[in-house]
Amino acid sequence: MWPFNRKGVSGFSSSSTAEEVTEGIDGSGLTAVVTGASSGIGSETARVLALRGVHVVMGVRNMSSGKSVREEIVNKIPSAKVDVMELDLSSMASVRKFASEFGSSNLPLNVLINNAGVMAIPFSLSKDGLELQFATNHIGHFLLTHLLMDKMKRTSRNTKTEGRIVNVSSEAHWITYREGICFDKINDQSRYQSYLAYGQSKIANILHANELSRRFKEENVNITANSLHPGIVATNLFRYQSIMNALTSAVAKFVMKDVHQGAATTCYLALHPQVKGVSGKYFSNSNLATPSSKASDEELAKKLWDFSLNTISA
Ligand code: NDP
């Protein structure tokens, strides 16, 4: 349990839980897609949104763990509306299939939570020939957002309700000191360092939200896009680093957030009225935060947008 507790201007702190930051909020009538909802921050996000009445569609690559998480949620919250759909973000074909099936489900889409991620894995390429962290953490979510966009715009128009896109990222000041940003060199194995590649893919999550937000404002669309750092949270994310994994189990309860706290900022951005109309911002501990200069770079955000669009169109 994360012990520090200084409240920010939102009234919440690093120790606030997802249930606390959404207390009293009625999410019934809303539909949300949560990626990577089969474990960690994603499964807690799905649970708390369902608790608040949101119809949750869990996008998961492992259907059997997705179904177990769904069962747990529904057992505890009998009124919960939760569906599980297959989604492998590292495969563009899988993302297209998910979007097409979701599109024909007749469900509206108010909230899209781009949460799934892998961290610091050994170098490998996705089915589409892209470095796997960049493919999973950024390109998969870029394509998913792109394909669900019409549905989100239609929902916000028809229901006169603000749509919200929430990208789960992480701060990456250190990466800009080491390597700079070079999205076009992601497949170069000789340059590959697993943590740098992770950091780069997470900066991409912030830049993606910023550029989405800029475009929504330009088009006068009633959808916001924000990104966040969930904190250092004890989850399966550290499974590829034996030292970090051991540390996670040993010291988690002293220095890391638990998943209830780790999902708080995501749920705050998805549902809280305090952030109505707030877009293109970065959050941490359910409060506004400042990302690295590279992550705020508007030109870089446009460059990444074009690069990503070319990649999904290739
Ligand atoms: P977990 O490993 O517990 O959860 C990650 C989720 O992403 C899992 O459900 C996993 O599925 C899913 N996932 C991984 N690859 C794919 C894929 N190709 N297609 C679909 N789903 C996939 O980690 P967290 O809950 O900690 O991570 C959630 C997010 O939070 C990530 O984006 C991460 O980068 C971010 N984050 C986490 C921090 C932390 O300290 N934990 C710190 C900063 C950011 P499966 O169960 O099948 O593996």
Side-chain angles (χ1 to χ4, degrees):
M1 174 69 75
W2 183 250
F4 307 110
N5 194 17
R6 213 173 59 205
K7 285 183 182 167
V9 293
S10 67
F12 302 115
S13 72
S14 56
S15 64
S16 300
T17 64
E19 283 199 26
E20 285 165 358
V21 305
T22 56
E23 201 170 347
I25 297 175
D26 179 10
S28 55
L30 301 178
T31 300
V33 167
V34 182
T35 71
S38 53
S39 92
I41 296 167
S43 59
E44 175 64 359
T45 298
R47 184 188 73 81
V48 172
L49 294 188
L51 181 70
R52 300 302 173 220
V54 177
H55 185 154
V56 176
V57 177
M58 301 167 55
V60 301
R61 65 174 165 177
N62 181 332
M63 285 299 277
S64 88
S65 33
K67 282 178 186 165
S68 317
V69 169
R70 180 192 176 276
E71 221 172 278
E72 265 177 54
I73 296 175
V74 174
N75 282 344
K76 284 187 201 139
I77 314 161
S79 61
K81 283 183 267 174
V82 184
D83 298 316
V84 189
M85 286 176 64
E86 191 167 359
L87 170 64
D88 179 352
L89 285 149
S90 70
S91 154
M92 291 199 230
S94 172
V95 175
R96 289 184 196 284
K97 185 163 174 278
F98 174 92
S100 149
E101 285 171 6
F102 183 81
S104 43
S105 71
N106 289 326
L107 282 172
L109 183 58
N110 306 90
V111 179
L112 171 60
I113 299 185
N114 291 321
N115 162 80
V118 283
M119 182 173 84
I121 54 178
F123 183 84
S124 59
L125 296 179
S126 71
K127 284 182 189 149
D128 304 299
L130 299 166
E131 187 281 312
L132 196 57
Q133 294 187 78
F134 193 71
T136 307
N137 299 354
H138 172 63
I139 290 293
H141 284 126
F142 182 88
L143 176 60
L144 180 69
T145 307
H146 183 74
L147 296 173
L148 296 178
M149 191 52 65
D150 277 350
K151 169 122 356 195
M152 281 199 86
K153 286 181 178 170
R154 235 178 300 126
T155 303
S156 77
R157 256 196 325 270
N158 294 346
T159 61
K160 301 199 179 353
T161 311
E162 180 181 85
R164 294 187 182 184
I165 296 175
V166 179
N167 281 5
V168 181
S169 176
S170 59
E171 189 47 277
H173 289 284
W174 49 272
I175 190 187
T176 58
Y177 302 132
R178 287 288 302 274
E179 285 279 287
I181 307 285
C182 36
F183 298 116
D184 46 354
K185 298 204 174 69
I186 48 159
N187 277 2
D188 182 348
Q189 189 172 0
S190 66
R191 298 167 56 96
Y192 187 73
Q193 292 183 48
S194 59
Y195 276 102
L196 292 178
Y198 174 71
Q200 185 148 294
S201 72
K202 299 314 284 181
I203 277 197
N205 296 150
I206 305 176
L207 294 168
H208 176 217
N210 291 352
E211 180 63 11
L212 276 169
S213 166
R214 194 190 67 73
R215 286 168 181 259
F216 291 150
K217 284 174 189 164
E218 200 172 85
E219 294 168 28
N220 208 16
V221 169
N222 187 20
I223 303 175
T224 63
N226 292 294
S227 54
L228 69 106
H229 193 317
I232 305 301
V233 190
T235 66
N236 291 332
L237 193 70
F238 304 95
R239 73 187 95 171
Y240 295 98
Q241 300 81 48
S242 43
I243 295 175
M244 275 304 283
N245 211 13
L247 220 60
T248 302
S249 331
V251 299
K253 59 178 182 292
F254 303 113
V255 297
M256 292 169 113
K257 289 184 179 182
D258 61 31
V259 286
H260 309 290
Q261 298 162 329
T265 310
T266 305
C267 292
Y268 173 77
L269 286 174
L271 291 187
H272 208 286
Q274 275 179 6
V275 285
K276 190 173 187 319
V278 176
S279 189
K281 302 290 184 204
Y282 183 68
F283 288 78
S284 161
N285 300 327
S286 307
N287 279 281
L288 258 180
T290 311
S292 66
S293 58
K294 282 288 173 200
S296 324
D297 183 332
E298 289 180 17
E299 280 315 304
L300 189 61
K302 285 183 196 159
K303 218 169 121 188
L304 174 66
W305 183 277
D306 292 341
F307 177 78
S308 308
L309 206 55
N310 281 338
T311 304
I312 63 165
S313 317

